[in-house]
């Protein structure tokens, strides 16, 4: 299972958390008979969030208005506030007029039964799941399922009560059956004389489906097909019918094909759109600024095919800015080719972003644009929108200006080549001079960055290298050079300059929002860190620097990976929104994406806004586009999560395939998730994630302690805890689903070494039930101790 993604795709509430006395006065739902609050203003965001937590499932907007006594014209203001909270990622819309707290499943929700595990428990997922990555793990025990008449089966939809059971896990209790789920299953069709069998490719679906003759819809052996489950009675095998053929299991790069199909991501462009892209031509110089003699250079990974950005730096010759620099960041002018509401624009919005998988790129724009006309190729004239930045000797930005220009890249450098130039002070050439000036400007900029103190997690990034046959050759950890940091710093500075320009001109815009951590998550993280001997500041004034201090101390104690995992979990998801909440991770008060319009639709909207703000010619923001930016921000945030999910699914399958020949081998790893059902472990060597069922941990019962993110042995008091380094043995690898199952090799560690104070062995359970008079000696009663799972 994968953990929630944090972006930097690295989330601030209007009011601080309520005090104890405030909570006592908090409005309850009408069902609970709570009285209304008479108000002269709208409720704060925090009050709305606290109210949503008290409800059973989704809450109607009308109920929120009634609870806070919002009447008349103020209802329109409440409507706008709820819409902003939805954009910011604080709440989720559950229908036209219903809302729920974001990122948390409601106490009562519809769930779909996906499979039955080896213990007979039903593995479920939220109905209509649209989140990023793996859905929360929901378990419905066989004991509870057996009470339902008839018992539920795979494909059924149930209304259930949900109880949190650890990191991204829930226990379910059935309220009632509500029919068949709308979930379709992607399977590999295997033909036989009776019809065929569907082998699922989703990790949550463990059981095969029988596809009877007449239900195969033309599917052939080995086809990837979409199926829907058919009604069954009692414990009969799962049956299904084929609805659509998606591909073939022997197709090249099938793991990515499965990930894209599961996420319903469009791959091919319509023929008419490709024809339109082929007609596109480069612009003439016209009114553009001529930057073709300025030695701008691109710096990208070795295998990059689309080059969004180019950079240049030189010492400032202004005597009033001694020691300062002139820096130019030039970005591909996609807006020249993709005009508001033309066919290319509509298709780009449907995709939202390019998707990068181990074996392919699914581009946002046709290759004629993404890899050719828009890409800043070496030695070729290309249109761009450039920002000239003036920095002083301390790295402070003194000013900036935007121009629409024509450029010609002087060199295409990789990060490795750029770093070699930085390290070799003697290599002569105009390009080397540009790199050295960029590095000098970056070093000056570092002083300003250190004052800003953005969140410094610096987690390792791995890359899957494939051989000529599409098989995994090796897994590499990407090296981080100063060359990477140099480019990142100037891209951030260009993004800030774009945001400032649009705010000054009062042009509608989409921000990149990364809000401050949720107060409840912070409390959990604070308690966890306290047990480890770290102190996180209390109150609403948390800043990235507070986390950085802890990370620095953890590095000195050789605990950085464990603590980084916890800090990561405290962060919100970064999203796109039209209301500015700042960027917590970067510690910036305003931020928008400007530097990657070939691969991100958000950047394209910012380019159009800049064209309008700076009077840069054709292709600027239209009134229609400005009015739709709120919906656009929500849509591309959803598509970003979709892309992240597909990237993770594809990577998981490639890793499972790579490890499938190493069953029985032991690996070093870390615990990345703790639930009532077991532990999730990430391997150090490959970053692959796998699961250890609770029942396999040892010969004692391990109880789950949610507040400690740990399980503790009843007999020995030994602990397995989030972030703990462990040795595991690979027991099973399933490339088709990307699933890995491990066995624990490491012994549980003593509570004091795990940083848990006061953890005790549980005393044997003794029954207090009095024996009935005349009862037979040795008759049945409660067991003296709890059995091992």
């Amino acid at each position: 299972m994968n953990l929630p993604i944090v972006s930097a795709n690295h989330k601030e509430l209007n009011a601080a958390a309520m005090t104890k006395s405030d909570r006592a006065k908090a409005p309850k739902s009408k069902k609970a008979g709570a009285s209304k609050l008479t108000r002269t203003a709208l409720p704060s965001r925090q009050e709305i969030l606290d109210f949503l937590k008290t409800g059973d499932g989704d809450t109607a907007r009308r109920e929120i208005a009634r609870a806070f006594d919002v009447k008349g014209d103020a209802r329109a203001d409440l409507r706008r506030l709820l819409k902003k909270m939805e954009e910011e990622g604080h709440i989720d819309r559950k229908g036209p007029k219903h809302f729920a707290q974001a990122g948390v499943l409601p106490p009562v929700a519809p769930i779909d039964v996906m499979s039955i595990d080896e213990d007979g428990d039903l593995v479920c997922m939220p109905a209509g799941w649209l989140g990023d990555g793996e859905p929360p793990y929901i378990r419905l025990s066989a004991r509870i399922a057996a009470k339902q008449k008839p018992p539920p089966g795979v494909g059924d939809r149930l209304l259930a009560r949900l109880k949190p059971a650890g990191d991204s896990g829930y226990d379910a209790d059935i309220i009632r059956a509500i029919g068949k789920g709308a979930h379709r299953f992607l399977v590999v069709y295997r033909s036989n004389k009776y019809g065929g069998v569907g082998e699922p490719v989703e990790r949550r679906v463990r059981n095969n489906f029988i596809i009877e003759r007449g239900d195969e819809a033309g599917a052939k052996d080995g086809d990837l097909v979409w199926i829907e489950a058919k009604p069954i009675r009692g414990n009969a095998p799962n049956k299904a019918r084929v609805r659509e053929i998606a591909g073939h299991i022997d197709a090249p790069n099938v793991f990515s094909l499965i990930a894209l199909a599961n996420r319903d991501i469009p791959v091919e462009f319509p023929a008419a759109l490709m024809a339109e892209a082929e007609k596109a031509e480069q612009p003439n110089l016209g009114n553009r600024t001529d930057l073709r003699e300025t030695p701008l250079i691109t710096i990208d990974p070795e295998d990059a095919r689309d080059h969004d950005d180019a950079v240049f730096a030189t010492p400032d010759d202004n005597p009033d800015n001694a020691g300062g620099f002139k820096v130019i960041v030039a970005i591909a002018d996609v807006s020249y080719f993709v005009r508001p509401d033309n066919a290319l624009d509509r298709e780009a919005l449907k995709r939202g972003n390019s998707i990068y998988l181990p074996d392919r790129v699914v581009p946002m724009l046709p290759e004629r644009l993404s890899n050719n006309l828009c890409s800043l190729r070496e030695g070729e004239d290309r249109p761009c929108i450039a920002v000239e930045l003036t920095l002083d000797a301390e790295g402070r930005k003194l000013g900036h200006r935007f121009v629409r220009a024509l450029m010609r890249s002087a060199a295409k450098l990789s990060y490795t080549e750029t770093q070699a130039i930085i390290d070799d002070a003697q290599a002569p050439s105009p390009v080397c001079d540009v790199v050295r000036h960029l590095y000098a400007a970056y070093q000056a900029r570092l002083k300003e960055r250190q004052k800003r103190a953005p969140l410094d997690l610096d987690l390792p990034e791995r890359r899957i290298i494939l051989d000529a046959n599409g098989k995994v050759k090796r897994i590499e950890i990407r090296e981080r050079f100063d060359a990477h940091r140099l480019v990142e710093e100037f891209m951030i500075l260009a993004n800030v300059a774009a945001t400032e320009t649009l705010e000054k001109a009062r042009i509608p815009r989409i921000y990149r929002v990364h809000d401050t951590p949720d107060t409840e998550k912070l409390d959990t993280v604070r308690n966890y860190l306290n047990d480890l001997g770290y102190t996180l500041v209390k109150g609403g004034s948390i800043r990235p620097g507070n986390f950085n201090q802890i990370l620095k101390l953890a590095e000195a104690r050789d605990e950085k990976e464990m603590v980084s995992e916890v800090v990561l979990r405290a962060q919100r998801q970064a999203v796109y929104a039209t209301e500015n909440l700042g960027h917590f991770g970067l510690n910036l008060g305003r931020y928008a994406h400007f530097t990657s319009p070939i691969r991100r639709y958000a950047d394209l909207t910012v380019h159009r806004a800049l064209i309008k703000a700076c009077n840069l010619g054709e292709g600027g923001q239209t009134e229609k586009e400005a009015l739709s930016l709120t919906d656009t921000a929500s849509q591309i945030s959803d598509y970003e999560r979709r892309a992240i999910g597909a990237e993770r699914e594809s990577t998981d399958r490639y890793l499972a395939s790579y490890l499938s020949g190493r069953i029985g081998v032991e690996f070093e790893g870390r615990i990345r998730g703790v639930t009532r059902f077991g532990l999730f472990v990430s391997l150090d060597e490959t970053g692959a994630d796998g699961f250890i069922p609770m029942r396999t941990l040892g010969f004692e019962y391990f109880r789950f302690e949610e507040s400690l993110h740990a399980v503790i042995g009843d007999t020995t008091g030994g602990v397995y805890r989030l972030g703990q380094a462990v040795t595991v043995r690979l027991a099973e690898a399933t490339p088709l689903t990307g699933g890995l199952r491990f066995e624990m090799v490491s012994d549980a560690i003593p509570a004091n070494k795990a940083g848990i104070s006061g953890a005790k062995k549980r005393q044997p359970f003794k029954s207090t039930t009095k024996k009935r008079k005349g009862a037979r000696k040795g008759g049945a009663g409660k067991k003296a101790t709890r059995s091992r799972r």
Side-chain angles (χ1 to χ4, degrees), residues 7-10 510-514 573-577 580 582-583 590-593 637 640:
S7 176
N9 177 184
H10 258 51
I510 291 177
Y511 290 97
R512 182 61 167 176
V513 172
H514 184 215
Q573 174 81 36
V575 297
Y576 294 107
N580 180 32
H583 198 294
R590 56 182 62 83
Y591 195 65
H593 276 162
S637 293
E640 180 184 39

Side-chain angles (χ1 to χ4, degrees), residues 255-273:
F255 297 142
S256 291
L257 176 65
I258 292 172
L260 294 167
N262 265 339
R263 295 283 169 169
D264 198 23
I265 293 172
V267 177
E268 303 298 331
F269 288 96
L273 190 82

Side-chain angles (χ1 to χ4, degrees), residues 173-245:
D173 193 358
I174 300 174
I175 297 176
R176 65 176 184 274
I178 51 178
K180 302 300 293 183
H183 187 86
R184 299 191 308 166
F185 300 92
L186 186 63
V187 303
V188 178
Y189 178 76
R190 298 297 186 187
S191 62
N192 58 36
K193 62 182 180 179
Y194 304 107
V197 174
E199 300 175 353
V201 300
E202 292 184 64
R203 199 178 310 181
R204 298 287 175 108
V205 186
R206 297 167 178 256
N207 315 103
N208 289 345
F209 292 84
I210 293 175
I211 300 172
E212 297 174 314
R213 192 176 299 279
D215 285 333
E216 64 269 53
K220 306 297 183 184
D221 188 72
D223 279 346
L224 277 170
V225 299
W226 287 104
I227 62 170
E228 65 177 16
K230 296 172 66 175
I232 59 172
R233 291 180 177 272
N235 295 319
N238 299 319
K239 294 183 179 181
R241 60 176 63 89
V242 175
R243 285 303 187 195
E244 182 183 346
I245 298 174

Side-chain angles (χ1 to χ4, degrees), residues 561-609:
E561 284 195 48
M562 177 168 60
V563 173
S564 293
E565 185 69 43
V566 180
V567 172
L568 190 67
R569 285 164 176 264
Q571 310 306 311
R572 294 183 190 268
Q573 174 81 36
V575 297
Y576 294 107
T578 52
E579 184 183 15
N580 180 32
L581 292 178
H583 198 294
F584 178 82
L586 295 176
N587 202 12
L588 291 168
R590 56 182 62 83
Y591 195 65
H593 276 162
F594 156 73
T595 55
S596 297
I598 293 177
R599 61 185 179 88
R600 289 190 306 229
Y601 192 85
D603 303 55
L604 178 55
T605 68
V606 170
H607 275 233
R608 292 172 178 159

Side-chain angles (χ1 to χ4, degrees), residues 41-60:
L42 289 177
S44 70
R45 285 170 167 79
Q46 186 63 54
E47 287 173 320
I48 291 174
L49 289 173
D50 289 332
F51 177 61
L52 291 177
K53 293 175 188 176
T54 68
D56 293 330
D58 306 342
T59 303

Side-chain angles (χ1 to χ4, degrees), residues 499-511:
T499 313
E500 291 174 350
T501 298
L502 296 181
E503 286 189 342
K504 185 177 180 180
R506 300 183 180 275
I507 301 295
R509 58 210 165 269
I510 291 177
Y511 290 97

